[in-house]
Amino acid sequence: MSPARIAVIGTGTIGAQTLWQLARHGADVTGYELFSPGHSRGAAGGETRLFRHIDAEHLEYLPLTGRSDLLWRELEKESGRTLRNLTGALALGSTASPATRIALESAAVLGSRAEVLGREEAQRRFPAFRLHEDEVAILDKGAGIIFPERSVRTAADAALARGARILRECRVTAVDQVGDQVDVVTGEGRERYDRVIVAAGAWTATLLPDIAPYLATRRLLSSWYLPKAGHTLDGMLPYLRTEPDYSYGLPTADGLAMKLGVGFRDHLPVESPDTAPLRISDEDLAPVRAVARDLFPTLDDYPMRAQAYFEAYTHSRIEFLREHPGMPAVLVCAGFSGKGFKNAPVFGEMAARAVLGLPPASEGAAFVLDAAHPSR
C-alpha cells in the first residue's frame, strides 16, 4: 500500500520543520511556498531569533523546549550546518510582574542551567544593561541565538534530501475538502491529497477565512542599533524583558549592532501581508527607540536599519494546532508568534505525527493540542 499523499502549505518557520519531519517518516509529501524557503517577507527574517528555556507565560512549555533543543541538534547533525549560537541569554523583569514570577519558577525547574541575579550583581556582570531598581535578571545558560533564514532553508533542504518536493513561487488560492481528500488549488490547477497541513503564517487568515477569528495578524518591526562612539557590544547577551515594557534584543552575528524589538501592543494590525504598508515611519519606531534609551546607556537611540515582518498570534497566545473546524482532513498550524521559532522543530514534529496518526513524542504536547482558542 502506497503512503498517504500529504501537502504542506507554507515552508517557513513551522512548515519547513513539518516537511522535514514528514520526510523523516518516509511520507509522500509536497510543500507549497509563496516565495522560497528562507525568504524575509514573513516571520522568519531578521538574521537572529532567540532560543531560550526560561518561559515567562506557561511552565508547560519547558518540556516542549527541551524536546525542541534535541531536535535542533539533530537537524544540525543531519545537515552539517550550524543553526544556533548558544552563549547564554538574560531574562529581565520587575519582581512585581506575574511574568517575572513565572520566569523565576522556570529558573527553579532548570536548576543549575539558570542563575538568578539581583539588580546589583546583574549590573556588575552585564554593565551594558541598565536595570530598574525593582528588576532582576536570570541567566539562561543554555539559551542563545538561532539563525532563522539559514534554519528554514536547512530544514527544507533536509526534507528535499529525504525525498520531499517543494513548489516554489507558488501561491495557493484555496484548500477544499472533497470527500475524505483535499484539493490544493493554485494558478496551475488542482492537486488532490489525502491530508493537508496549512502552515501559512500571516497568510493563514487570508487562505482560511474560517480561521481568521482565532488569529490576530500583525506587522512588527526589527531595528538595529550601533553603539555610541567609544563603546562596543563586547559581552552583550541576547535578552528578553517581561516588564515594565516587554522587549527583546539580540546582537548581530558580527557583534557590531544590537537588534531590538517590542511586544504585541506596539505591532500594527493588518488584514494581510499582501496589502500591508512596508514603509516605516519615525512614529513606528518610537516604542523601540524608547527601549534603547531606557535599557542601553551605550547604544545610539536611532536605528541604523529597520525592517518590517508579518506574524500571526492567537488571542490566547497559545498556538493553534488542530483540525480545521469544517475540513477534518486539514490540519491548521497557526499563531506561533512569541515562542514559534525556538520551538519550531517540536511543533513541526507534533504536526507531522498528528497527520500520520502517531502519538505525540513530546511531554507537554497536550498543553498545545488541547488548548482552548477564543475567537476575537
Side-chain angles (χ1 to χ4, degrees), residues 145-354:
I145 289 171
I146 310 169
F147 305 114
E149 297 94 341
R150 183 191 305 176
S151 296
V152 170
R153 180 61 180 269
T154 296
D157 287 348
L160 291 172
R162 288 179 173 269
R165 296 170 296 280
I166 298 177
L167 302 178
R168 303 166 188 259
E169 298 181 68
C170 180
R171 181 182 290 271
V172 174
T173 56
V175 177
D176 300 323
Q177 183 154 345
V178 181
D180 294 333
Q181 295 181 302
V182 186
D183 283 356
V184 174
V185 184
T186 70
E188 301 299 318
R190 290 175 174 263
E191 188 73 20
R192 187 156 294 181
Y193 295 91
D194 297 297
R195 296 295 301 273
V196 169
I197 298 171
V198 175
W203 283 265
T204 302
T206 302
L207 180 61
L208 300 176
D210 289 346
I211 303 300
Y214 300 99
L215 301 178
T217 305
R218 295 290 186 269
R219 186 197 76 168
L220 64 157
L221 306 179
S222 288
S223 50
W224 286 259
Y225 297 79
L226 293 168
K228 295 177 180 177
H231 296 276
T232 71
L233 297 186
D234 292 348
M236 181 77 81
L237 289 182
Y239 84 95
L240 172 75
R241 190 189 207 181
T242 60
E243 297 288 351
D245 292 302
Y246 180 94
S247 67
Y248 59 88
L250 307 98
T252 55
D254 59 13
L256 297 181
M258 186 74 169
K259 183 181 82 171
L260 299 178
V262 291
F264 180 84
R265 181 186 66 187
D266 294 306
H267 297 169
L268 179 71
V270 297
E271 290 296 322
S272 167
D274 293 328
T275 57
L278 293 177
R279 180 181 177 275
I280 299 171
S281 68
D282 282 348
E283 183 179 0
D284 295 331
L285 291 169
V288 70
R289 291 186 65 195
V291 169
R293 287 191 293 268
D294 177 44
L295 190 55
F296 297 101
T298 62
L299 287 185
D300 280 336
D301 73 342
Y302 199 89
M304 67 158 187
R305 177 160 65 98
Q307 191 165 346
Y309 303 93
F310 299 97
E311 299 189 359
Y313 297 77
T314 63
H315 302 291
S316 67
R317 301 296 187 274
I318 300 173
E319 296 76 13
F320 191 104
L321 206 162
R322 59 183 57 202
E323 292 179 354
H324 187 284
M327 295 186 289
V330 176
L331 182 73
V332 182
C333 303
F336 292 92
S337 290
K339 294 172 289 294
F341 217 105
K342 72 169 186 173
N343 284 332
V346 76
F347 290 138
E349 181 183 64
M350 289 165 61
R353 294 181 72 87

Side-chain angles (χ1 to χ4, degrees), residues 6-265:
I6 302 170
V8 178
I9 299 173
T11 62
T13 302
I14 305 301
Q17 296 283 351
T18 303
L19 203 72
W20 174 52
Q21 290 292 335
L22 287 166
R24 291 179 97 187
H25 284 281
D28 180 356
V29 59
T30 300
Y32 288 80
E33 173 53 53
L34 181 57
F35 303 109
S36 184
H39 71 84
S40 65
R41 304 187 204 185
E47 301 173 5
T48 55
R49 287 289 185 275
L50 180 60
F51 181 86
R52 56 187 169 90
H53 293 275
I54 293 292
D55 199 278
E57 295 175 281
H58 301 283
L59 295 180
E60 289 86 349
Y61 282 109
L62 290 179
L64 290 173
T65 304
R67 175 66 179 170
S68 188
D69 190 14
L70 176 63
L71 292 172
W72 277 117
R73 296 177 194 278
E74 290 182 4
L75 180 57
E76 287 182 310
K77 182 178 180 180
E78 182 171 323
S79 66
R81 299 175 189 171
T82 299
L83 305 179
R84 300 183 299 170
N85 184 19
L86 303 181
T87 57
L90 295 174
L92 313 174
S94 165
T95 54
S97 163
T100 303
R101 289 196 289 272
I102 295 171
L104 290 168
E105 291 180 43
S106 295
V109 173
L110 291 172
S112 62
R113 292 176 291 166
E115 184 180 358
V116 179
L117 307 173
R119 178 178 178 272
E120 290 186 5
E121 177 67 6
Q123 294 276 201
R124 184 184 69 79
R125 289 174 57 178
F126 303 102
F129 295 85
R130 178 169 52 205
L131 276 63
H132 292 193
E133 290 291 338
D134 65 340
E135 283 189 286
V136 295
I138 305 169
L139 176 60
D140 186 340
K141 299 177 183 179
I145 289 171
I146 310 169
F147 305 114
E149 297 94 341
R150 183 191 305 176
S151 296
V152 170
R153 180 61 180 269
T154 296
D157 287 348
L160 291 172
R162 288 179 173 269
R165 296 170 296 280
I166 298 177
L167 302 178
R168 303 166 188 259
E169 298 181 68
C170 180
R171 181 182 290 271
V172 174
T173 56
V175 177
D176 300 323
Q177 183 154 345
V178 181
D180 294 333
Q181 295 181 302
V182 186
D183 283 356
V184 174
V185 184
T186 70
E188 301 299 318
R190 290 175 174 263
E191 188 73 20
R192 187 156 294 181
Y193 295 91
D194 297 297
R195 296 295 301 273
V196 169
I197 298 171
V198 175
W203 283 265
T204 302
T206 302
L207 180 61
L208 300 176
D210 289 346
I211 303 300
Y214 300 99
L215 301 178
T217 305
R218 295 290 186 269
R219 186 197 76 168
L220 64 157
L221 306 179
S222 288
S223 50
W224 286 259
Y225 297 79
L226 293 168
K228 295 177 180 177
H231 296 276
T232 71
L233 297 186
D234 292 348
M236 181 77 81
L237 289 182
Y239 84 95
L240 172 75
R241 190 189 207 181
T242 60
E243 297 288 351
D245 292 302
Y246 180 94
S247 67
Y248 59 88
L250 307 98
T252 55
D254 59 13
L256 297 181
M258 186 74 169
K259 183 181 82 171
L260 299 178
V262 291
F264 180 84
R265 181 186 66 187

